[in-house]
Amino acid sequence: MKNLLFFTLILFGILSSCNKKETCQDPNALNSEITGGDNGTCRYTNVIFYAGSNRVGGNGDILEKIEVYRIFIDQEELVGTISDLKESTDAPIGCANSLNSIRYELNTSTDIRFTTKYYYKNGISENGDTHIFKAASDQECIVQNLTL
C-alpha cells in the first residue's frame, strides 16, 4: 500500500509539472500575460546587426571588421564582431542567425544604446553611429544594416 501511494504521488508530481504554463508579466515581452505569475520565461525583441557590404556609406576603403558595443552610462561592453565581410550580403531573413551577423536580445523595457567601431584593411579605424532600440511586444526582430 505504501508503494502504491508513493508511486501515485510521484506520478502526480510529474504530470502536474508538465502542465505548468509559461507566463510573463512584462508588457514589453513578446509572450506577455499580465494576469499570470512571472516564472522568468519572458521572450523579448531581438536585434540582428549585420554587414550588408564590406564598405561603409560612400567610403571607398574596404572593411576588415566591425565591432558592436552596448553603451552603458560610464562604459561600453563588446557585444560581438563581424569579420570576413563580403562585397554584398543579403539581409538576414526574420530572426534566424545568419553568417556575419550579431544577435542581441533586448531583455529590458528601457532604451538600449549601441555603437559601432569600423576597422579598415588600410589600418584606419573610426567610430560609427549610435543606435537606440527598445523591446516591443509586437516586434520579434529588428534587422539593422551597419554598412548603410
Side-chain angles (χ1 to χ4, degrees):
M1 186 67 170
K2 283 185 180 180
N3 287 340
L4 180 61
L5 180 61
F6 178 72
F7 287 118
T8 303
L9 288 173
I10 289 177
L11 184 60
F12 177 74
I14 291 171
L15 292 176
S16 66
S17 68
C18 291
N19 291 329
K20 286 186 179 178
K21 185 177 180 183
E22 293 182 356
T23 59
C24 174
Q25 290 187 337
D26 187 344
N28 295 300
L30 296 170
N31 60 335
S32 179
E33 292 186 24
I34 300 301
T35 58
D38 189 352
N39 65 358
T41 58
C42 296
R43 293 182 305 110
Y44 294 91
T45 304
N46 284 284
V47 177
I48 307 291
F49 296 100
Y50 83 101
S53 73
N54 61 355
R55 300 170 195 266
V56 178
N59 189 332
D61 296 331
I62 297 174
L63 286 166
E64 181 176 330
K65 68 179 178 179
I66 302 171
E67 293 178 339
V68 176
Y69 291 84
R70 179 170 175 193
I71 302 171
F72 294 92
I73 293 171
D74 58 349
Q75 67 181 11
E76 295 176 350
E77 174 184 87
L78 180 64
V79 172
T81 302
I82 300 173
S83 56
D84 188 29
L85 293 99
K86 308 293 182 212
E87 190 173 326
S88 178
T89 304
D90 292 334
I93 298 171
C95 280
N97 288 335
S98 66
L99 193 61
N100 280 333
S101 68
I102 300 167
R103 182 181 183 148
Y104 191 90
E105 183 180 64
L106 304 172
N107 58 4
T108 178
S109 59
T110 59
D111 289 348
I112 298 179
R113 297 176 185 277
F114 297 91
T115 191
T116 50
K117 294 187 181 177
Y118 297 97
Y119 297 87
Y120 298 93
K121 292 196 182 238
N122 63 9
I124 295 173
S125 64
E126 67 179 336
N127 293 331
D129 294 332
T130 297
H131 306 274
I132 302 170
F133 300 102
K134 188 174 189 174
S137 63
D138 62 344
Q139 196 167 15
E140 185 177 349
C141 192
I142 300 168
V143 178
Q144 179 67 48
N145 184 352
L146 300 174
T147 59
L148 290 175

